[in-house]
Amino acid sequence: MTDLPNDQTPTDIWAEVRPYQDDEVADVLARLSRDPELLSAITQFRLPRMSHLMPSLSRTIASLAIRREVKGVASVHDFQMRIAPYMQRMIRTTTDDFRVDGLDMLDADTAYLFIGNHRDISLDPAFVNYALYLAGRDTVRIAIGDNLLKKPYVTDLMRLNKSFIVPRSARGKRAMLAAYHKLSSYIRHSITQDNHSIWMAQREGRAKDGIDRTDSAIIKMMTMARRTKQRDLPIGEAIQELRLVPVSISYEYDPCDVQKARELHALHARGRYDKEEFEDISSIVAGITGHKGRVHLRFGTPLGADFDSVDEVAAEIDRQVLEGYHLFPRHYLALEMIGDAPELVDLAEVTDADRQRFKARLSDVPAELREWWLAQYANPVRNRAGQIAS
């Protein structure tokens, strides 16, 4: 059992970070239907002319539309079922193919801690959820950094969709340690007590350079609550209890590739990159609406107890993520253009159409960003071959 004070319940101590529960849904939806920032954002996107000429009327229309859309939604499951058709439409209009491997090897009635490579803020866990939905399984609880939750309505929407909050803004070592201990306790409780699966990224932030690598600090956090309670517990036993399953997601095209290249270029040229105020939200929108080509999702195998250190655990996650990552023609074409490691360039499945699409996309990339743009697609090939140093 989770070690809690006698006068507290799991709901009490995790109320500020956990996903919303069914009995909270109605109040949250009512609040969203009145939120002026959300209503303004919707009208600027859907009714741009009216939002400029008649902002009050346009917000009223948006509020009525929200209420109509969520009518009858009384639970988190109801809310996600309302989202499902939009997910289906997004896949139909922005992807050419979506394939899933390995899920059939996992027990449908067992909770897992899915830990995956991270390329898109919202779509990585969304595709995991969609694969589970198609298989008739329950969706996951999603780890999301509090740096992305700068607007109350964004927080509400994410927590309605079963997101829980990862602290990144706590001040001071003691506060951060306490926050991570609470997070670790919640993750363990979700897996071992609620039997509810979780998705989280293998590292903080997206792999903008295309190099997927697990941060061992994530492994320490996951096992913190269990090993604090039992300090002599081997790391392998704590890992086995959480039922970690590495997940690889591969996008043929990354809708945010130019923006990522711009950030990498700035870091190289100036030593820093200054994000615009709502850049993360813009990246979420770009990822959802942009063309992704083919998408491949690979579920690995659960990690056992045969580990003596967090570094060994991270190495096994990396091995499975890289083994499961699908390399598309664009990856090899990027490596070919860079002219590095020609022995790794496999053009067996590259068609003339692939080359034409690749060249057309590259021609739209500003010249000063092309080195960084190409590296995003070439690095997965080199990383799998072990040619990128840790």
Side-chain angles (χ1 to χ4, degrees):
M1 292 294 292
T2 305
D3 42 336
L4 301 172
N6 293 332
D7 60 344
Q8 288 188 319
T9 67
T11 298
D12 293 327
I13 68 165
W14 295 313
E16 294 181 356
V17 299
R18 59 160 173 75
Y20 288 134
Q21 299 178 152
D22 289 347
D23 60 358
E24 298 168 302
V25 169
D27 287 343
V28 175
L29 291 175
R31 182 167 66 238
L32 286 169
S33 71
R34 299 188 302 265
D35 189 287
E37 287 191 287
L38 174 59
L39 297 177
S40 293
I42 291 173
T43 57
Q44 288 171 17
F45 179 68
R46 301 289 295 180
L47 304 167
R49 183 173 175 81
M50 180 180 287
S51 69
H52 177 69
L53 297 175
M54 294 177 285
S56 180
L57 176 60
S58 64
R59 287 194 295 269
T60 299
I61 293 173
S63 178
L64 291 172
I66 290 175
R67 294 176 192 177
R68 182 178 66 248
E69 186 67 25
V70 300
K71 185 177 181 181
V73 173
S75 67
V76 172
H77 179 267
D78 291 343
F79 180 77
Q80 290 198 317
M81 290 306 97
R82 292 293 170 92
I83 294 174
Y86 295 100
M87 185 71 182
Q88 291 171 317
R89 184 186 307 167
M90 181 274 292
I91 291 177
R92 186 173 63 251
T93 58
T94 71
T95 67
D96 298 327
D97 186 39
F98 175 51
R99 297 193 180 185
V100 180
D101 291 327
L103 182 58
D104 57 338
M105 303 300 293
L106 300 175
D107 183 5
D109 298 320
T110 299
Y112 298 97
L113 201 171
F114 298 116
I115 180 165
N117 60 331
H118 192 25
R119 298 304 181 86
D120 188 275
I121 294 172
S122 65
L123 286 183
D124 295 348
F127 275 112
V128 169
N129 265 346
Y130 191 62
L132 294 168
Y133 165 75
L134 292 177
R137 305 189 185 198
D138 196 9
T139 53
V140 295
R141 291 170 175 166
I142 302 165
I144 184 169
D146 61 6
N147 58 302
L148 299 174
L149 306 177
K150 297 177 181 179
K151 294 288 186 181
Y153 73 83
V154 175
T155 302
D156 279 345
L157 288 170
M158 292 297 188
R159 293 179 71 187
L160 275 176
N161 197 36
K162 292 169 67 168
S163 292
F164 62 95
I165 301 171
V166 176
R168 292 178 182 165
S169 57
R171 299 290 183 179
K173 184 176 180 180
R174 181 171 294 182
M176 185 61 77
L177 188 63
Y180 278 136
H181 189 277
K182 179 181 287 188
L183 176 65
S184 179
S185 296
Y186 177 74
I187 290 171
R188 179 169 177 259
H189 181 88
S190 182
I191 299 297
T192 65
Q193 302 299 317
D194 290 348
N195 196 39
H196 203 123
S197 293
I198 279 175
W199 176 92
M200 66 187 310
Q202 66 182 158
R203 55 185 275 183
E204 180 179 328
R206 293 169 293 168
K208 301 178 183 71
D209 56 5
I211 301 174
D212 297 315
R213 185 169 293 142
T214 305
D215 183 355
S216 59
I218 300 288
I219 310 303
K220 290 180 181 178
M221 180 278 295
M222 290 176 179
T223 59
M224 181 185 295
R226 182 72 168 92
R227 300 189 81 199
T228 298
K229 184 178 180 181
Q230 187 178 346
R231 295 185 181 277
D232 60 347
L233 183 75
I235 184 69
E237 291 187 29
I239 290 298
Q240 186 176 44
E241 179 184 56
L242 293 174
R243 298 190 286 274
L244 265 67
V245 173
V247 178
S248 308
I249 190 163
S250 319
Y251 299 92
E252 186 174 16
Y253 307 106
D254 185 341
C256 298
D257 53 12
V258 173
Q259 189 275 329
K260 290 178 181 177
R262 186 173 291 110
E263 180 173 343
L264 294 171
H265 176 262
L267 289 170
H268 177 77
R270 303 193 300 272
R272 74 177 196 280
Y273 176 73
D274 301 317
K275 281 187 179 182
E276 297 180 2
E277 185 178 4
F278 301 116
E279 187 170 315
D280 287 329
I281 301 301
S282 298
S283 293
I284 290 173
V285 174
I288 292 171
T289 60
H291 183 238
K292 291 164 276 292
R294 291 170 286 179
V295 179
H296 186 267
L297 188 64
R298 171 75 185 186
F299 291 87
T301 57
L303 273 60
D306 300 328
F307 300 98
D308 296 321
S309 69
V310 293
D311 290 337
E312 288 183 12
V313 177
E316 173 59 15
I317 294 170
D318 288 348
R319 185 191 70 78
Q320 290 201 38
V321 165
L322 293 177
E323 186 178 278
Y325 190 90
H326 188 86
L327 295 171
F328 292 104
R330 174 166 288 207
H331 295 104
Y332 293 113
L333 290 170
L335 186 59
E336 180 187 48
M337 180 155 286
I338 290 173
D340 183 29
E343 73 279 5
L344 299 180
V345 178
D346 182 358
L347 304 178
E349 297 183 6
V350 177
T351 66
D352 289 341
D354 290 324
R355 283 192 179 277
Q356 291 172 4
R357 283 193 295 268
F358 179 79
K359 290 180 179 178
R361 180 62 176 144
L362 181 60
S363 68
D364 290 334
V365 179
E368 70 275 13
L369 304 182
R370 290 181 182 177
E371 174 186 355
W372 310 101
W373 186 88
L374 289 167
Q376 290 177 57
Y377 290 104
N379 280 339
V381 184
R382 295 186 286 204
N383 197 19
R384 178 186 283 181
Q387 294 195 10
I388 295 180
S390 300

